[in-house]
Amino acid sequence: MTGTTVDTDFIHVFEPGSDPARRPLLLLHGTGGDERDLLSLGRTVAPGASLLSPRGKVLEGAAPRFFRRLAEGVFDEADLRQRTDELADFVLLARERYGLPAPIALGFSNGANIAAALLLQRPEILAGAALLRAMVPFAEPPRADLTGKPVLILSGALDPIVPKANAEALARQLGESGAAVEHRALPAGHGLGQADIGLLGDWLARN
Ligand code: MLT
C-alpha cells in the first residue's frame, strides 16, 4: 500500500515494511528530486524496511529542496535551522501516525545535508544516517551527543560539488560528537553508482 498525503505538512510517501526487524528508512532526496526518487534505492538496500519519504518544501525555481542556499555549497543557515526543526517534527508525527521506531536517514546530496543537520541539531530523531555526497551543514555546529549512533558517509573523490576536505570535516565533526562513523571516499563524482549501493546494503544489514 502506498499513499501520498499532506496532513503532516510535508507531501510524503509512506510504504509500510514487511520486516519488523528492519529499522524504517527516512529517505531524503537531492535538489530537484521528490518523494518518489529514492524509493527504489530504499527497497533495494533495505528489503522489507518501512520507507518514509518526504518532499522538500523549499523551491529553487521549480526544484524542491530541504532548505535554502545562497549559492552552490553556501547555505542559508537560519533557514536550515528552521527547516531542520520542521523536518524533525514531521518525523515525530509520522512515527506516531504510522507506529514507527526512530528511523535511519538515507539522504542524497541536499537530503544528506539536512540529514547531517538533523543529527547535529535534533540528535534524538534519528537512529543513524547514511549520508551520500554530504557536506558540513553548519559553520558552527550545535553540540550534539551522538554516542554510538551509526553513520555512513559515502563521498566521491571526484565530486565537483563536495570538496574532499569538506566531507572529511563532516566525518570528523560527527565522530567528535560520538557517532560511530564509517567514511568511504569512492572513485566517483556527485552521482551514485553500484559501489554506493553495495556499501549501503552491507552497512544497513549491520545497523
Ligand atoms: C546543497 O545545496 O545542499 C548542496 O550544494 C548539494 C546540492 O543540492 O546540490
Side-chain angles (χ1 to χ4, degrees):
M1 188 185 68
T2 299
T4 301
T5 55
V6 290
D7 61 341
T8 45
D9 209 23
F10 269 83
I11 295 170
H12 68 279
V13 171
F14 175 66
E15 280 194 10
S18 55
D19 181 355
R22 284 264 188 194
R23 283 260 171 201
L25 292 186
L26 174 67
L27 302 174
L28 299 167
H29 63 78
T31 301
D34 68 22
E35 67 280 11
R36 307 213 153 259
D37 266 31
L38 298 181
L39 292 173
S40 83
L41 177 65
R43 289 182 205 121
T44 302
V45 295
S50 294
L51 304 177
L52 177 64
S53 188
R55 183 192 302 180
K57 288 200 268 187
V58 168
L59 285 179
E60 187 178 88
R65 289 175 51 82
F66 286 96
F67 59 89
R68 287 197 187 87
R69 63 180 164 185
L70 307 173
E72 190 167 284
V74 184
F75 302 149
D76 176 340
E77 291 195 27
D79 186 65
L80 173 57
R81 281 192 291 275
Q82 185 196 321
R83 301 288 174 183
T84 299
D85 276 336
E86 260 177 23
L87 183 60
D89 292 345
F90 162 75
V91 172
L92 291 176
L93 280 168
R95 280 186 59 188
E96 210 174 290
R97 176 174 176 183
Y98 300 121
L100 301 172
I104 292 182
L106 195 183
F108 168 63
S109 191
N110 182 246
N113 296 340
I114 199 153
L118 274 174
L119 282 172
L120 291 163
Q121 184 173 310
R122 297 284 297 271
E124 75 284 6
I125 295 297
L126 297 177
L131 308 175
L132 311 176
R133 310 302 187 266
M135 304 177 70
V136 166
F138 298 112
E140 291 190 17
R143 280 181 181 279
D145 180 2
L146 297 174
T147 305
K149 270 194 215 290
V151 174
L152 176 68
I153 300 176
L154 297 180
S155 53
L158 311 171
D159 190 332
I161 297 176
V162 183
K164 186 167 173 276
N166 191 303
E168 286 167 357
L170 176 62
R172 202 166 45 243
Q173 256 176 36
L174 296 172
E176 281 167 359
S177 300
V181 179
E182 287 181 44
H183 178 200
R184 301 284 293 268
L186 304 174
H190 199 66
L192 303 180
Q194 274 309 121
D196 292 280
I197 294 171
L199 290 166
L200 256 176
D202 288 350
W203 182 84
L204 283 164
R206 286 185 275 120
N207 289 288

